Amino acid sequence: MSRQYKYIQLSNYYVCLEQNTAVLAWLLYFRRKDLLSIFTPWIKSESPSLKVNYLRYIYALFINNGKLLGLFLQYQFKLRAIDSYIELPTYGHLCKHVHKGYKVFNLISNTVIKIFDSDVHADHIADELNRLQSISHYEFSPTLVKSNVNERWYEEKYVSGSPHSSYRSHDSSTLLQSFRREIAPCLNKLISFNQPKSTDPIRYVDKVVKSIESALAKNNKGDLKDRDRIRYFSDSILKRLHNENKYHIYLVFSHGDFCPANILTTKSGLKLLDWESVSYRSALFDFYSYFFYRPVFIDVPVEQMFSELCEALPRFISELSLISSDIPDNLLARERTYRWIYYLERIGMLVDRHMTDKNLNIMDIILRYIEAFNYYDEKLGGSYQSNPRKQPEPIL
């Protein structure tokens, strides 16, 4: 990877300036959405309004992508000055800025290459690769093709699919049907992928809180009041856990960022993206991650999520009895303990990411989670009022 390729930003992606314009046009118009699949419902539909909506969609598709192509041609033939660009040592059609690097998509060879930033230590790259190799045969994960730690990259098979129905879904009945039919079985297989570990929760959460404090002490980004709020919340949850009777919990194999945005529907079933955070965590971590994503990142009220969880959690725990005899009883007896531990684990992951993430306002996301956690616990504790505080604004 000695040659450098120039990428310019168009819309939400970076586009390789050295690619053929006709190929880019094909990618924009046909690769992401087959026009036949767009026209077919319009042709078959008896509804005039639906036909009009499809015509508007097709018109917007051509107009918006036509503007992108026109801008690309201006850059390519130097009719417009390039204000900013990035150079990467691999060729692809599209590129996306991700945590600690870039992902380059070659949609003809159907591959994705992650290139790490220069300040990422080789040990971190090797550790991430080991985690990805551990799940390479898992049916829901992308296939790892090859890698080179010294050159700071690895290659995966591109997963072609559409966003899962729960992504930006506001309808609870649709969400819960999808959860029972597709998401819960996926979570069950994740939990049973490796042998669960029984551990002392106090020792475990003490370690999590110490890592939160250490990360906050090292990182001076963000307002001091915001960091104090995180400390206060973490300490309050830790005190609650210390007041619980002696018990044990289970740590299970966890995706780490199990949410609707990382779930695709493909011809071969569900596929999960972004496995970089895979590890052992508390048994309900991925379950709660899926539901709490909605009020934090999507315009879904915490009250609605509360109702969804009240229906989904008992059924999920019950179905776990098919793969484990010990975990379901432990979860039923210690549900609030697992919920509080999830709170600390989630904040711990985000605080650690806050030190290195160059794309997202992680501190704002942490505070949104804390707001959702407090709001949810008030609802569970019976002290809920119609609007005790402003709910977190959605991240669009």
Side-chain angles (χ1 to χ4, degrees):
M1 290 192 178
S2 57
R3 181 180 173 183
Q4 294 291 311
Y5 295 88
K6 187 177 293 186
Y7 289 81
I8 56 173
Q9 188 166 12
L10 295 178
S11 187
N12 296 324
Y13 286 88
Y14 290 88
V15 179
C16 185
L17 194 62
E18 285 128 326
Q19 67 180 298
N20 185 286
T21 308
V23 174
L24 179 59
W26 173 70
L27 294 172
L28 289 174
Y29 288 107
F30 300 99
R31 186 63 169 82
R32 287 166 52 187
K33 192 76 173 179
D34 181 11
L35 284 181
L36 182 62
S37 69
I38 296 175
F39 276 111
T40 301
W42 172 67
I43 294 170
K44 292 182 178 179
S45 172
E46 300 293 332
S47 170
S49 62
L50 186 59
K51 291 184 178 183
V52 170
N53 287 336
Y54 269 102
L55 282 174
R56 288 175 177 171
Y57 177 86
I58 294 167
Y59 175 77
L61 177 74
F62 277 92
I63 293 299
N64 294 336
N65 286 339
K67 290 178 180 178
L68 291 178
L69 280 172
L71 185 59
F72 176 79
L73 284 170
Q74 292 180 56
Y75 285 134
Q76 194 174 52
F77 290 100
K78 300 180 181 179
L79 301 176
R80 178 191 289 256
I82 301 175
D83 296 327
S84 62
Y85 62 90
I86 57 173
E87 287 189 337
L88 298 173
T90 188
Y91 173 79
H93 303 101
L94 303 173
C95 169
K96 188 175 182 180
H97 199 180
V98 296
H99 186 216
K100 296 183 179 180
Y102 294 88
K103 282 193 174 181
V104 179
F105 300 83
N106 190 318
L107 300 181
I108 292 179
S109 64
N110 284 321
T111 58
V112 182
I113 295 180
K114 180 172 180 179
I115 302 172
F116 290 87
D117 291 333
S118 59
D119 59 350
V120 179
H121 197 277
D123 289 345
H124 173 88
I125 300 173
D127 183 53
E128 184 169 317
L129 278 171
N130 288 334
R131 291 197 299 269
L132 293 176
Q133 287 168 352
S134 72
I135 51 90
S136 59
H137 301 297
Y138 187 63
E139 62 184 291
F140 297 114
S141 68
T143 303
L144 187 64
V145 179
K146 54 186 176 181
S147 61
N148 190 313
V149 175
N150 294 329
E151 294 183 0
R152 316 176 68 78
W153 60 269
Y154 64 79
E155 181 180 312
E156 296 176 306
K157 282 289 186 182
Y158 173 71
V159 178
S160 179
S162 58
H164 189 257
S165 59
S166 60
Y167 185 57
R168 298 199 179 281
S169 172
H170 289 245
D171 181 63
S172 291
S173 60
T174 301
L175 177 89
L176 290 169
Q177 288 176 11
S178 174
F179 181 82
R180 290 192 294 269
R181 185 177 62 252
E182 300 173 302
I183 304 301
C186 180
L187 285 170
N188 286 337
K189 289 182 179 181
L190 262 176
I191 291 174
S192 60
F193 186 74
N194 279 339
Q195 185 69 28
K197 301 177 181 179
S198 177
T199 190
D200 176 4
I202 300 304
R203 186 179 302 170
Y204 178 69
V205 295
D206 280 346
K207 184 178 179 181
V208 173
V209 172
K210 285 180 181 177
S211 69
I212 293 174
E213 179 56 42
S214 175
L216 289 173
K218 293 177 183 177
N219 188 6
N220 293 322
K221 293 193 299 181
D223 190 274
L224 179 60
K225 291 182 179 179
D226 292 339
R227 298 201 298 272
D228 286 342
R229 186 179 175 189
I230 295 171
R231 289 188 178 98
Y232 177 81
F233 179 81
S234 300
D235 289 343
S236 67
I237 297 297
L238 185 61
K239 288 177 182 177
R240 294 185 205 177
L241 291 167
H242 274 278
N243 288 333
E244 297 286 284
N245 296 327
K246 188 174 178 60
Y247 56 96
H248 72 278
I249 62 164
Y250 286 101
L251 304 181
V252 300
F253 188 74
S254 163
H255 175 274
D257 197 11
F258 191 94
C259 64
N262 285 334
I263 302 173
L264 288 182
T265 301
T266 73
K267 293 180 180 179
S268 56
L270 289 189
K271 292 289 185 180
L272 303 182
L273 307 179
D274 295 340
W275 287 81
E276 290 85 353
S277 300
V278 63
S279 184
Y280 269 84
R281 297 182 181 89
S282 59
L284 289 178
F285 182 91
D286 285 342
F287 173 87
Y288 279 125
S289 293
Y290 179 80
F291 283 95
F292 271 97
Y293 176 89
R294 290 165 57 72
V296 174
F297 290 91
I298 306 175
D299 187 14
V300 172
V302 180
E303 299 151 288
Q304 180 178 333
M305 182 201 66
F306 175 83
S307 299
E308 293 165 356
L309 273 170
C310 285
E311 181 172 339
L313 183 58
R315 182 187 292 267
F316 177 68
I317 294 176
S318 175
E319 291 176 354
L320 274 178
S321 61
L322 299 176
I323 63 173
S324 171
S325 58
D326 298 325
I327 295 179
D329 290 340
N330 185 260
L331 292 178
L332 286 172
R334 295 291 175 184
E335 187 277 325
R336 71 176 185 180
T337 299
Y338 279 96
R339 186 177 71 252
W340 291 339
I341 293 175
Y342 160 71
Y343 293 170
L344 294 177
E345 289 173 315
R346 171 56 68 198
I347 291 174
M349 288 183 65
L350 289 169
V351 168
D352 182 64
R353 180 165 179 168
H354 184 51
M355 295 190 293
T356 55
D357 197 291
K358 302 173 184 177
N359 306 317
L360 300 175
N361 185 346
I362 299 296
M363 183 61 73
D364 185 55
I365 294 174
I366 295 172
L367 297 177
R368 291 169 187 264
Y369 266 109
I370 289 176
E371 194 74 23
F373 295 158
N374 283 328
Y375 205 83
Y376 183 74
D377 267 28
E378 286 178 2
K379 179 75 170 174
L380 282 174
S383 60
Y384 173 82
Q385 299 173 0
S386 60
N387 189 16
R389 60 171 63 84
K390 184 179 179 182
Q391 294 192 55
E393 295 292 331
I395 296 177
L396 300 177

